Amino acid sequence: MRILLVEDDADLGLAIKQVLMSEKYVVDWVPDGAQAWLCLESQWTDYTVAIVDWLLPELSGLELCQRLRLHQNPLPVMMLTALGQPENRVAGLDAGADDYLVKPFVMEELLARLRALQRRSPQLQPPTLTVAGFTLDAANNVLQVNSDKCTPLVIPLATKEFQLLMYLMQNPDRIIPGSKLRHQLWDIDEEPISNVVAAQMRLLRRKLACHGCSCPIETLPGTGYRFNSQLRSQP
């Protein structure tokens, strides 16, 4: 999942980003609503949820949420604010927010509410994803390779390996350009080098090969990468 975090408090924004990254989310953190809208309009990134402070410079969180809904954008939004009166909650939810978290809060509650959004929103990825005999388990950060001939093979994954497989498995048989993967799986502050996707793909293939498993990801020169659902695993 890629999250857009919109928070102008530097300390809180950094703390939230670090916690989310530790949970394997890709996070873009911006300090105001105007920059957030530019991110949302980008052709490169597909966000799965936005965490938005209400009191923002340039464009408030309330106005940002209203603009999203005006453009028929169904992106789930969690509103963060110190404004905790009932009328404020009503205004935030009426503006199109899906959840409302009052400051100060503990990070465990933020993560729990994200999980609740995931359960309620069909566009958010479930904890496990299975395509063509391959199962990604987000809770344990592993790839399970199923076979009719033996017990499932369990392969531990690094964070970027997991994110790369997750995105491709969410889009089986679709050709994804390397530039799209680079912009989708590395946040806007990282500025990865142009060949980072190819390098990460080599590491992933090498890991699967070390476990005796064929890689279902095809490289299409000059075009991109594809998770081929017709290729069966061979553990």
Side-chain angles (χ1 to χ4, degrees):
M1 291 173 59
R2 188 183 188 100
I3 293 178
L4 178 61
L5 171 62
V6 196
E7 172 59 64
D8 63 335
D9 183 306
D11 291 336
L12 179 58
L14 179 60
I16 294 174
K17 178 173 181 177
Q18 290 174 337
V19 167
L20 293 175
M21 291 178 65
S22 73
E23 296 292 318
K24 302 186 292 294
Y25 296 112
V26 180
V27 184
D28 288 341
W29 169 31
V30 295
D32 63 68
Q35 290 187 55
W37 186 250
L38 291 177
C39 290
L40 291 167
E41 286 190 311
S42 170
Q43 62 176 316
W44 294 110
T45 50
D46 301 318
Y47 294 102
T48 46
V49 67
I51 301 175
V52 181
D53 185 27
W54 182 320
L55 300 176
L56 293 169
E58 302 294 334
L59 186 72
S60 75
L62 197 70
E63 293 168 327
L64 179 64
C65 197
Q66 290 170 332
R67 185 179 292 188
L68 275 171
R69 303 311 180 223
L70 184 63
H71 286 75
Q72 306 299 312
N73 190 324
L75 179 70
V77 175
M78 181 188 299
M79 189 79 74
L80 304 181
T81 181
L83 304 175
Q85 297 301 312
E87 59 268 25
N88 301 129
R89 295 172 183 265
V90 170
L93 295 171
D94 281 347
D98 299 272
D99 200 359
Y100 195 99
L101 184 57
V102 178
K103 300 177 181 179
F105 54 84
V106 295
M107 293 299 177
E108 288 78 5
E109 182 179 3
L110 174 68
L111 294 174
R113 287 175 177 268
L114 274 178
R115 292 191 293 270
L117 272 179
Q118 177 176 301
R119 291 192 295 270
R120 296 199 303 267
S121 303
Q123 68 267 41
L124 299 186
Q125 186 57 48
T128 61
L129 174 65
T130 300
V131 180
F134 294 86
T135 298
L136 275 177
D137 180 351
N140 299 298
N141 215 46
V142 298
L143 174 68
Q144 178 177 297
V145 184
N146 303 308
S147 172
D148 296 332
K149 299 179 181 179
C150 61
T151 57
L153 177 66
V154 177
I155 304 174
L157 298 173
T159 297
K160 274 291 175 265
E161 293 168 343
F162 184 92
Q163 292 170 343
L164 182 61
L165 269 172
M166 175 66 78
Y167 191 70
L168 288 167
M169 289 174 66
Q170 285 175 323
N171 299 277
D173 301 315
R174 175 185 167 193
I175 299 173
I176 309 293
S179 56
K180 173 71 173 179
L181 288 169
R182 188 172 72 250
H183 285 84
Q184 183 68 28
L185 300 181
W186 280 263
D187 69 50
I188 56 178
D189 296 323
E190 290 183 274
E191 296 183 357
I193 57 177
S194 59
N195 67 341
V196 68
V197 174
Q200 189 64 60
M201 198 68 71
R202 285 194 296 271
L203 291 173
L204 178 59
R205 287 197 173 102
R206 188 179 305 163
K207 174 173 285 189
L208 295 181
C210 287
H211 285 81
C213 176
S214 58
C215 184
I217 301 173
E218 297 178 316
T219 298
L220 305 173
T223 306
Y225 301 90
R226 174 174 60 194
F227 186 97
N228 189 337
S229 64
Q230 303 305 310
L231 295 178
R232 303 300 296 180
S233 58
Q234 299 176 0

